[in-house]
Amino acid sequence: MIAHKMLKYVEGSSVTRAMFEEGKRLAGLYGAENVFDFSLGNPSVEPPAEVKENIIKVLKEEAPNKIHGYMNNAGFEEVREAIALSLNQNFGTRFSGKNIIMTVGAAGGLNVILKTLLDPGDEVIAFAPYFGEYNNYVANYDGVMVAVPPSIPDFQPDLNRLGQMVTARTKAVIVNTPNNPTGVVYSEETIQRLAAILEEKQKEYGTAIYLIADEPYRELVYDGIQVPYLTKYYANTIVGYSYSKSLSLPGERIGYLVIPDEADDFENVLNAATIATRILGFVNAPSLQQLTVAKCLGAATDISVYDANRKLLYGKLQELGFECAKPQGAFYMWVKALEEDDSAFAAKAKEFNLLLVPGSSFACPGYVRIAYCVDPAMIRRSFGAFEKLAESYQSGK
Ligand code: PLP
């Protein structure tokens, strides 16, 4: 008999993943060419050539006991130093290697920091729509997830509501910009206002409220838009970064946390996060990938492919009368469902072999997410299906 706590996960196992399986089933029935799977945020662009070259280089040049052995739970010191230096060069920050903890992707990093910070009953705030896994990560440590309702139609965080929803039990606020699922990038003004509210609330309650910046999409931005580096606006910020999307390495499971000197209770947070890395069972982030990413700090995937997909799909959806904000970053489009029930709308889309994720999975019903990190030819082939979907609502079919 499995744990009671796990039953609900088994029963409601991630809608996104279930969609992925459904895509495979439909491809078997109708042929892969006739199924349009927009469900998963799996990068379609290959990792930059430097990644493969450096994996080989590391394997050839580094001592085997270094690549394959145990290490400090926070990761290789020279890797952490190299990452700190590159952040300082890019963002004018003043980190050193000690501020960096290597993690098993962003998911690993979020779990490490939530384990570090949360006592049972502590509240963690996120702005809907948000990455649904946050609910599970917060529940892992008996925290309470608090969702700030969406601000429609711009999907910038609703800061007035945030001010009303912070309590003495608020331990952290998670922000994700560029955002999954909306593609929105939070403006500098938004970040400044957010920081001011959190400062004020820390004073009011005499507590520490950590801002957790979940940043797997930092480099995936279009039209030259800037993504503010949050530690510069709010001292009590912890950044979770991942190479899953920026270098197209989701399977390699590599990322890092930045815990700045200015973070509240810095030494304890750093030590606890290092211990959390060990006792959650990761022990340390994968060694080969640590050594590889340190050699690829200037590398980037070719985001022009995502940008072209964005323009192609956005243009068509506009033409068909769908309501959606033009994404500024990440590789997702957030589209208003043509009926109130987003799950029913996604089910209708599936009748035309279109796989879209209902907004309810992101705490925001009434919308669907389209992941456009796919083959551009599939986007073009899908146009007929989107047309039929729109028509089916016009004719009431
Ligand atoms: N946070 C957000 C917003 C994501 O979209 C994802 C993955 O899609 C993650 C975290 C987890 O990323 P990783 O593969 O680095 O664990």
Side-chain angles (χ1 to χ4, degrees):
M1 174 68 186
I2 62 167
H4 281 96
K5 254 186 154 178
M6 284 306 293
L7 281 172
K8 71 172 193 291
Y9 297 115
V10 174
E11 280 157 13
S13 90
S14 164
V15 179
T16 314
R17 295 214 159 258
M19 281 260 181
F20 185 60
E21 294 305 320
E22 182 66 3
K24 284 199 287 193
R25 192 186 70 81
L26 290 173
L29 282 176
Y30 302 106
E33 294 285 292
N34 302 310
V35 177
F36 317 111
D37 188 347
F38 291 99
S39 63
L40 212 59
N42 214 1
S44 54
V45 176
E46 294 243 332
E50 292 102 301
V51 172
K52 201 173 189 179
E53 285 159 17
N54 280 307
I55 288 176
I56 294 167
K57 202 166 173 197
V58 169
L59 284 171
K60 279 192 180 149
E61 292 176 7
E62 296 284 2
N65 63 352
K66 176 169 179 188
I67 306 172
H68 304 298
Y70 286 119
M71 72 185 79
N72 179 344
N73 302 130
F76 289 117
E77 269 162 39
E78 83 264 25
V79 170
R80 295 159 64 207
E81 285 296 346
I83 289 172
L85 190 67
S86 117
L87 290 172
N88 296 344
Q89 281 163 356
N90 290 338
F91 305 115
T93 46
R94 299 218 313 245
F95 303 128
S96 68
K98 77 172 190 313
N99 300 112
I100 311 291
I101 295 185
M102 300 308 293
T103 64
V104 180
L110 286 167
N111 273 278
V112 164
I113 199 61
L114 292 170
K115 182 163 180 71
T116 297
L117 297 179
L118 295 187
D119 277 317
D122 280 349
E123 293 166 5
V124 177
I125 297 180
F127 298 93
Y130 60 80
F131 181 53
E133 290 288 88
Y134 295 160
N135 292 330
N136 301 328
Y137 302 162
V138 168
N140 282 343
Y141 311 105
D142 298 319
V144 177
M145 193 76 213
V146 177
V148 177
S151 166
I152 297 168
D154 67 359
F155 291 101
Q156 291 280 326
D158 185 339
L159 298 175
N160 292 333
R161 289 303 293 275
L162 171 72
Q164 294 157 1
M165 293 174 86
V166 172
T167 73
R169 288 307 302 263
T170 304
K171 199 59 176 285
V173 175
I174 306 180
V175 290
N176 166 225
T177 167
N179 186 264
N180 174 12
T182 61
V184 165
V185 174
Y186 296 172
S187 67
E188 185 176 35
E189 194 205 334
T190 296
I191 301 299
Q192 284 164 338
R193 279 188 57 214
L194 170 68
I197 290 170
L198 294 183
E199 294 286 4
E200 193 188 303
K201 291 288 167 186
Q202 288 194 131
K203 279 201 197 101
E204 182 182 335
Y205 292 116
T207 54
I209 304 172
Y210 294 86
L211 180 61
I212 301 176
D214 179 25
E215 300 209 329
Y217 302 97
R218 164 162 283 281
E219 288 83 9
L220 273 60
V221 284
Y222 312 109
D223 305 328
I225 200 160
Q226 297 291 319
V227 184
Y229 204 78
L230 269 59
T231 60
K232 294 169 72 178
Y233 296 82
Y234 182 67
N236 209 5
T237 299
I238 291 170
V239 179
Y241 183 81
S242 163
Y243 294 92
S244 293
K245 321 284 173 164
S246 62
L247 292 182
S248 297
L249 298 175
E252 267 78 2
R253 312 304 307 134
I254 185 75
Y256 59 82
L257 287 169
V258 184
I259 304 175
D261 291 353
E262 297 76 20
D264 185 81
D265 201 15
F266 165 70
E267 291 289 346
N268 276 332
V269 171
L270 195 68
N271 288 336
T274 306
I275 293 165
T277 301
R278 190 187 86 225
I279 67 181
L280 281 171
F282 307 129
V283 182
N284 56 254
S287 51
L288 174 58
Q289 309 311 335
Q290 286 192 43
L291 295 167
T292 301
V293 294
K295 291 187 186 309
C296 296
L297 292 173
T301 48
D302 180 6
I303 62 164
S304 68
V305 179
Y306 300 135
D307 194 13
N309 283 358
R310 174 181 77 120
K311 289 176 177 148
L312 181 67
L313 187 62
Y314 181 73
K316 187 67 188 177
L317 295 183
Q318 288 289 101
E319 186 190 311
L320 293 173
F322 284 98
E323 235 179 83
C324 72
K326 191 172 186 183
Q328 303 160 296
F331 37 47
Y332 306 109
M333 220 167 273
W334 184 242
V335 182
K336 193 159 169 43
L338 297 179
E339 61 181 297
E340 216 167 282
D341 180 343
D342 50 305
S343 297
F345 178 67
K348 183 60 141 180
K350 209 167 73 188
E351 288 176 20
F352 304 105
N353 289 350
L354 275 175
L355 299 182
L356 319 175
V357 184
S360 304
S361 316
F362 304 94
C364 186
Y367 289 78
V368 286
R369 188 193 77 174
I370 301 179
Y372 60 82
C373 43
V374 295
D375 180 358
M378 189 195 91
I379 298 183
R380 279 192 212 93
R381 283 199 310 273
S382 74
F383 284 174
F386 277 110
E387 269 166 38
K388 283 185 200 146
L389 177 63
E391 270 168 27
S392 73
Y393 283 89
Q394 281 148 16
S395 60
K397 270 186 262 175

